[in-house]
Amino acid sequence: MRKSKGLLYILAALFLTVMIACSTKKNTAMSRGYHSVTTKYNILYNGRLAYEKGIESLKEKYYDDFYNILPVERMQPDEKTLVTAKQKDPNFQRAEDKAIKASQLHSIYIAGTENNPQMDEAYMLLGKSRYHDIRYIPAIEAFNYIILKYPDSDLIYDARVWKEKANIRLNYDNLAIKNLKRLLKEEEVKGQTKADALATLAQGYINIEALDSAIVPLKEAIETTQDKDEKARYTYILGQLYGKNNNKEEAVKTFQEIIDYKYRVPRAYVINAHAEKFANQDPQKIDTVAFLKEYNALLADRENRGFHDVIYHQMGSLFNFYGNDAQAVANFNKSLKKITTNEYLKVANYRKLADLYYAKKTYEMAGKYYDSTLVVMNPNSREYLKVKRLRNNLVDVVKYELVARENDSILRLVALPEEQRRQVLKEFLDKKRIADQTAEKAAEKGQGQTSGSNSLPMTGGVASSFYFYSNAAVQKGKQDFSRKWGKRALTDNWRWADEAQNAVANNPNNASATEQNASSGVETAAAETDMRYNVDFFLSQIPKDENEIKKLKTDRDNAYYQLGLLYSDLLEEYQIAADKLETLLTYKPEERLIEPIKYNLYKIYLKLDPAKAQAMLEDMKRNHPNSQYTQIILNPNAKIEIDGSPVQEYEKIYTMYNHGAYSEVLETLNAKIPTLMNDGMVTKYEILKATTIGKLNGLEDYKKALNYVAVTYPNSKEGQEAQRIISKDLPKLQALQFKNDLSKNLKLIYVVDFPFTEQGIELRNKLQRYANDRAHTGISFSADQYSKDKMFLVIHGIKSGNIAKSAQVYLEIERDYQIKENPVLISSDDYGVVLIKKNWDEYMKSRYGSNSNDAQPAQ
């Protein structure tokens, strides 16, 4: 009985175990289905929606640089931009969050196997979201997880392709190329996956500048992909590659394929394909009539309204090639007005305009356009550095041209009689008023140049979004002001009507203007109170003070002189340089400028007209026989030294300078400099000569020597440094005063004649020996040349007056020295003042009284 009962228990336990197992399997199956469905149709669905929304947003916001080879895929701004902007698309972050949520909450990883078939999709979405969020290393981690954990996934090849995309972005181009070539050998890779792999391989080749190698995979990618947008983009890149490889015929055919797509692909590709087609054709063979007809048709098409900037730029390029500067400038400026966000095209327009004015030798306008170009360029690019170098050459040209023009105008008015001055101003302001009124009416009616006009006048100025660079905006602002406030005089508290009217009524200038207007009948009543056209107002601005007029003339003359050197030395525009300097001579400039003007004219005439050069030389010999400029020309030893020797000679002379042999240095430089005429080293010799003169003669002679360098070589580094020293350092040096503080940092000075006598040499040797014996205590010795005939023998490192007295006594009574000369005690600060200002006698008087000029015992 007991046995049967035990058997029953066993059978019941087995039955219960089987029932529990069946229930567990059923629940497990239900759990797997739940997690799979929830992952696919909830979390991943929303994640994919966010990802696709991010891609669409990227396509809308992304602006391609069609002037360089396009990347095969669009991306968010690069990392450097994002560091400051921090404007990543939040859709990619949302997609990543959904992918992470799916992997964390719905993964069923049991015994080394993933039981949720949606997990590879989740990790794929995670990697792609991170990739487009400019986080390539985390993206590779996600793709690697698929490759390692899901080797049987149908996404395995996509994951491998996306991993290489990330490697490309990390600049591991060669690694990506190697892996992609291996991947493409596998037969299972096909369809869009294969197209992506081929396009990525082409991008790798483009990155390493193997453009020939990029053509084959890109052509295959075009044939493989079914996405029209990708097909058009890859075809456009293919045309660019043909153009870069100088295969112009194939490039033209390829861009024509893009044009033939018409409205089936984004218009940006079609419009820029027209431009590339033009760029790859020989302009001499282009049918200009057909070209203009085609481009005017593009302008007339309403679908192309967003691309008028590109079309106008291309028309400007054509006119520029054929030398029609007026039409080129007009179309480039039209392009600038149409641009909203295309920074690449903005740079191209400004650069074209700058180069155009530069070629016309209108350097002031070129400088302004180069300024505008630099504002919108990437400062880290090579092109930026190239433009900046050009602009730097024009900075001073623009500055001095402006000074010369403005001061010339003012000085001409100053020189005119009162009535003639009034008449000139009145004619000018009348023309200005009529021009402004015409512009205002055009702005009100919205009149302007038609989009397809090919007969536009040349426009000037800098096209920009800046308010005052837009005449239409300025005129509109003036009209709005007039409607709101009426005509107001230029006075304080203009907003208060009563005061404004009183100001107008009480202004004698306005009264006289009214009388003048009544007699002439030219200016209108409205113009009487408009200071823009008020003759008396402008007459009152003309300077009358003699000092102010003199300064205007000085600045004008200096501007002409600097322009002469700039056009000659930097721009090699010798005729313009000669014109500037010849004009300056007619203005009777200051005496200090006459010799350098003639010298520079002589050098310019050597290149333009040897007969004029000879005449200028005779003028200098006759009128400036002792001038150093004349001596440079006449020196029979003047020659261009062989390459390298001026540098070696300079180093030898500079070593002498460092050793304090100033008289020898100056003598050597006086002999050397005339032999270096036109040599690139001459400015270094000249600044060294000026410094040596300062060491020997003091600040006044130093200033004169520096002024010579600054005036003669204003565009060199040394000339600019000389000008900086004159304006900034010399005033500080001239202000130095004695401190007469003998509490610390003292020196003992023995004064001897220079060149050295036997007694001077003996004293120098004794002091040198004394300092060497006590070098361990901080004592040192130097022989410093004070002037052409005086040398200081200096014991440095004296810590107090008592030590100085002890040292003097020891040197006097010790048998090895027996020095009877009396030294002078001086602080380090005051010694510096003495060497700079050459006021040793002044120091001696301050220390020992007005009756003593001789050295006294140290006290």
Side-chain angles (χ1 to χ4, degrees):
M1 186 71 180
R2 285 183 179 176
K3 288 182 179 179
S4 62
K5 198 178 247 190
L7 184 60
L8 287 172
Y9 282 138
I10 292 171
L11 290 172
L14 287 171
F15 178 76
L16 184 61
T17 302
V18 170
M19 292 299 292
I20 292 171
C22 290
S23 177
T24 302
K25 286 183 179 179
K26 185 177 180 180
N27 288 337
T28 302
M30 290 177 62
S31 177
R32 290 175 183 172
Y34 165 76
H35 284 289
S36 177
V37 171
T38 302
T39 303
K40 181 175 182 180
Y41 292 106
N42 185 359
I43 301 175
L44 287 186
Y45 175 77
N46 288 315
R48 289 193 188 98
L49 285 180
Y51 177 78
E52 290 169 4
K53 189 175 180 181
I55 295 296
E56 289 302 316
S57 176
L58 181 59
K59 289 181 179 180
E60 291 174 4
K61 296 178 181 178
Y62 185 87
Y63 288 95
D64 281 304
D65 176 9
F66 284 96
Y67 296 92
N68 291 301
I69 297 176
L70 298 182
V72 295
E73 69 174 337
R74 303 175 181 90
M75 286 294 290
Q76 292 199 76
D78 60 31
E79 296 88 332
K80 291 181 180 178
T81 304
L82 289 170
V83 166
T84 54
K86 296 183 179 178
Q87 292 180 341
K88 290 185 180 181
D89 193 317
N91 288 301
F92 295 121
Q93 185 62 55
R94 176 175 169 78
E96 179 181 354
D97 292 341
K98 292 295 182 182
I100 292 172
K101 182 178 179 180
S103 64
Q104 289 178 343
L105 299 182
H106 298 283
S107 175
I108 311 175
Y109 200 76
I110 302 172
T113 303
E114 177 60 65
N115 291 278
N116 186 342
Q118 297 299 318
M119 281 302 100
D120 56 346
E121 296 278 359
Y123 280 101
M124 193 68 192
L125 178 62
L126 177 63
K128 291 163 70 174
S129 300
R130 288 173 171 175
Y131 173 83
H132 281 292
D133 203 39
I134 319 295
R135 295 165 54 231
Y136 303 122
I137 300 297
I140 289 176
E141 292 175 356
F143 299 135
N144 277 337
Y145 193 87
I146 298 172
I147 295 168
L148 296 173
K149 295 292 184 180
Y150 308 112
D152 297 328
S153 169
D154 56 356
L155 296 177
I156 188 73
Y157 296 113
D158 290 287
R160 289 170 65 181
V161 171
W162 278 85
K163 178 183 176 181
E164 301 315 321
K165 282 187 177 185
N167 279 329
I168 290 282
R169 295 291 175 179
L170 291 169
N171 296 323
Y172 300 141
D173 299 301
N174 290 317
L175 174 64
I177 290 170
K178 179 181 176 181
N179 292 338
L180 286 167
K181 289 171 72 176
R182 185 188 301 121
L183 176 65
L184 286 165
K185 290 178 181 178
E186 300 183 30
E187 294 181 359
E188 293 83 357
V189 181
K190 57 185 65 175
Q192 188 59 42
T193 303
K194 184 176 182 180
D196 290 345
L198 289 164
T200 306
L201 178 60
Q203 184 66 63
Y205 282 127
I206 291 171
N207 289 354
I208 63 174
E209 298 184 359
L211 303 186
D212 283 340
S213 301
I215 290 175
V216 175
L218 194 59
K219 289 175 71 174
E220 194 173 346
I222 294 169
E223 295 171 359
T224 306
T225 186
Q226 298 302 311
D227 187 303
K228 288 184 179 179
D229 192 351
E230 285 187 359
K231 193 181 289 287
R233 188 176 187 85
Y234 297 165
T235 305
Y236 190 95
I237 296 171
L238 181 63
Q240 290 181 308
L241 294 177
Y242 281 134
K244 291 288 184 181
N245 283 316
N246 214 28
N247 190 344
K248 303 295 186 182
E249 187 176 344
E250 285 297 323
V252 170
K253 289 180 181 178
T254 305
F255 288 119
Q256 185 60 51
E257 290 179 24
I258 298 291
I259 295 170
D260 292 339
Y261 275 115
K262 296 185 178 179
Y263 299 102
R264 289 174 291 168
V265 298
R267 295 299 292 166
Y269 296 133
V270 177
I271 298 300
N272 283 283
H274 279 281
E276 288 285 359
K277 179 184 173 183
F278 165 78
N280 283 281
Q281 290 177 294
D282 182 356
Q284 300 283 8
K285 299 179 181 178
I286 291 178
D287 184 343
T288 55
V289 175
F291 174 89
L292 291 174
K293 182 178 179 181
E294 178 182 6
Y295 270 72
N296 282 323
L298 290 174
L299 287 170
D301 190 340
R302 292 176 59 84
E303 295 291 330
N304 298 332
R305 283 176 296 178
F307 302 97
H308 282 184
D309 50 359
V310 178
I311 298 170
Y312 280 128
H313 175 81
Q314 206 55 47
M315 292 177 73
S317 298
L318 180 75
F319 286 123
N320 186 31
F321 176 82
Y322 285 106
N324 190 336
D325 294 342
Q327 296 296 337
V329 170
N331 280 281
F332 289 139
N333 277 319
K334 280 180 168 185
S335 177
L336 283 167
K337 290 177 182 178
K338 294 292 183 180
I339 291 173
T340 54
T341 55
N342 192 336
E343 296 297 320
Y344 306 108
L345 187 59
K346 193 177 291 185
V347 169
N349 278 311
Y350 281 135
R351 181 66 191 276
K352 286 275 192 181
L353 286 163
D355 291 344
L356 189 149
Y357 281 113
Y358 192 96
K360 291 173 60 181
K361 302 179 183 179
T362 311
Y363 296 112
E364 188 175 355
M365 287 297 296
K368 291 179 181 179
Y369 277 110
Y370 281 132
D371 278 341
S372 299
T373 306
L374 291 173
V375 168
V376 292
M377 286 187 79
N378 177 5
N380 298 317
S381 65
R382 290 183 184 177
E383 194 67 17
Y384 180 90
L385 297 176
K386 187 186 297 184
V387 173
K388 189 173 183 180
R389 280 196 294 270
L390 281 170
R391 178 64 187 102
N392 288 343
N393 286 343
L394 298 179
V395 169
D396 289 337
V397 172
V398 173
K399 178 178 72 175
Y400 289 121
E401 283 284 8
L402 183 62
V403 172
R405 184 172 61 253
E406 289 185 353
N407 289 18
D408 259 340
S409 299
I410 296 171
L411 290 171
R412 286 195 188 99
L413 286 172
V414 168
L416 292 175
E418 178 69 25
E419 287 304 315
Q420 190 175 351
R421 189 186 305 167
R422 174 181 290 276
Q423 184 62 31
V424 169
L425 270 174
K426 186 176 178 304
E427 290 175 359
F428 171 78
L429 293 174
D430 283 345
K431 291 178 182 178
K432 186 177 186 304
R433 177 170 52 80
I434 293 170
D436 288 349
Q437 289 174 349
T438 303
E440 287 176 9
K441 290 176 182 178
E444 287 176 356
K445 296 178 180 179
Q447 293 174 348
Q449 294 145 342
T450 59
S451 59
S453 172
N454 294 320
S455 58
L456 297 170
M458 182 182 294
T459 58
V462 181
S464 169
S465 59
F466 179 50
Y467 180 88
F468 289 105
Y469 285 168
S470 171
N471 287 332
V474 172
Q475 296 304 330
K476 181 69 165 56
K478 290 175 181 177
Q479 292 168 27
D480 291 343
F481 180 88
S482 297
R483 279 195 294 270
K484 183 174 182 180
W485 300 101
K487 294 294 182 180
R488 298 301 175 100
L490 186 61
T491 181
D492 293 338
N493 300 317
W494 58 267
R495 294 177 65 178
W496 308 108
D498 292 340
E499 295 185 26
Q501 291 170 2
N502 290 336
V504 173
N506 296 329
N507 191 330
N509 287 340
N510 290 337
S512 62
T514 303
E515 294 172 5
Q516 179 69 20
N517 294 337
S519 62
S520 63
V522 176
E523 294 186 11
T524 64
E528 293 174 11
T529 57
D530 192 336
M531 291 302 174
R532 292 179 299 166
Y533 317 117
N534 190 298
V535 176
D536 291 279
F537 173 76
F538 283 98
L539 282 172
S540 68
Q541 306 302 308
I542 297 174
K544 298 179 177 61
D545 182 72
E546 288 299 324
N547 290 330
E548 188 177 354
I549 294 172
K550 184 178 180 181
K551 186 178 186 306
L552 285 170
K553 184 182 186 307
T554 300
D555 291 345
R556 188 270 312 272
D557 292 353
N558 180 63
Y560 269 91
Y561 178 72
Q562 301 295 344
L563 286 170
L565 300 188
L566 287 166
Y567 281 120
S568 174
D569 298 343
L570 283 182
L571 303 177
E572 297 182 357
E573 295 290 348
Y574 301 113
Q575 188 57 58
I576 299 176
D579 292 342
K580 296 292 181 183
L581 295 176
E582 288 169 352
T583 301
L584 177 54
L585 282 177
T586 66
Y587 290 155
K588 298 180 180 178
E590 296 178 20
E591 191 66 29
R592 68 182 184 90
L593 284 177
I594 292 177
E595 292 177 12
I597 290 170
K598 291 182 176 180
Y599 171 70
N600 282 286
L601 274 172
Y602 170 78
K603 292 196 299 180
I604 294 168
Y605 287 153
L606 285 175
K607 297 178 175 66
L608 296 177
D609 188 341
K612 281 190 173 183
Q614 184 60 37
M616 183 57 69
L617 175 58
E618 294 301 323
D619 179 284
M620 295 183 73
K621 287 163 62 178
R622 181 173 61 256
N623 297 313
H624 317 284
N626 299 320
S627 166
Q628 53 188 320
Y629 294 99
T630 307
Q631 296 306 314
I632 288 174
I633 300 172
L634 293 177
N635 192 305
N637 297 319
K639 61 181 181 300
I640 303 295
E641 303 248 350
I642 60 172
D643 293 339
S645 62
V647 177
Q648 296 169 1
E649 288 294 323
Y650 177 82
E651 289 174 349
K652 291 178 183 178
I653 298 172
Y654 193 74
T655 300
M656 292 165 51
Y657 170 84
N658 280 335
H659 290 155
Y662 302 132
S663 291
E664 186 178 353
V665 168
L666 187 58
E667 183 179 346
T668 304
L669 288 172
N670 284 333
K672 184 69 179 176
I673 289 174
T675 71
L676 296 171
M677 186 175 68
N678 296 329
D679 192 280
M681 288 294 296
V682 71
T683 53
K684 292 185 179 297
Y685 280 98
E686 289 285 10
I687 196 71
L688 180 59
K689 178 181 176 181
T691 307
T692 306
I693 289 172
K695 292 286 188 182
L696 287 173
N697 301 344
L699 291 181
E700 288 304 316
D701 286 352
Y702 184 37
K703 183 177 181 180
K704 292 178 182 177
L706 286 172
N707 186 66
Y708 169 77
V709 178
V711 171
T712 308
Y713 312 102
N715 302 314
S716 68
K717 291 181 180 179
E718 290 76 14
Q720 293 168 3
E721 175 63 12
Q723 187 59 52
R724 188 197 67 78
I725 294 172
I726 292 171
S727 59
K728 294 186 177 181
D729 292 350
L730 280 182
K732 296 177 183 177
L733 296 177
Q734 289 168 337
L736 292 174
Q737 299 294 330
F738 291 126
K739 295 182 179 180
N740 289 314
D741 180 8
L742 297 178
S743 61
K744 58 182 180 179
N745 297 329
L746 306 178
K747 303 176 188 296
L748 279 176
I749 297 181
Y750 293 84
V751 184
V752 298
D753 293 333
F754 184 82
F756 283 113
T757 61
E758 290 183 9
Q759 293 83 354
I761 293 173
E762 182 182 1
L763 178 59
R764 181 190 64 185
N765 293 339
K766 287 178 179 180
L767 293 173
Q768 179 72 67
R769 187 169 68 250
Y770 172 82
N772 290 342
D773 291 343
R774 288 156 182 78
H776 63 283
T777 66
I779 298 294
S780 63
F781 168 81
S782 70
D784 302 336
Q785 188 170 357
Y786 172 74
S787 64
K788 294 179 180 179
D789 55 4
K790 193 175 291 184
M791 180 73 74
F792 289 158
L793 305 179
V794 188
I795 299 293
H796 306 270
I798 306 296
K799 296 179 180 178
S800 69
N802 290 333
I803 293 175
K805 185 64 178 176
S806 298
Q808 179 189 347
V809 172
Y810 179 81
L811 288 168
E812 184 176 348
I813 65 175
E814 176 61 32
R815 185 175 61 182
D816 291 340
Y817 296 103
Q818 299 288 312
I819 297 176
K820 303 300 182 183
E821 291 85 350
N822 289 324
V824 174
L825 190 63
I826 190 171
S827 69
S828 295
D829 290 338
D830 287 349
Y831 184 59
V833 175
V834 166
L835 290 181
I836 291 170
K837 302 185 75 171
K838 302 301 175 186
N839 54 354
W840 175 251
D841 292 341
E842 182 182 337
Y843 177 77
M844 291 295 292
K845 290 178 182 179
S846 70
R847 288 278 290 118
Y848 303 112
S850 59
N851 296 325
S852 176
N853 289 323
D854 299 323
Q856 299 292 322
Q859 298 178 6

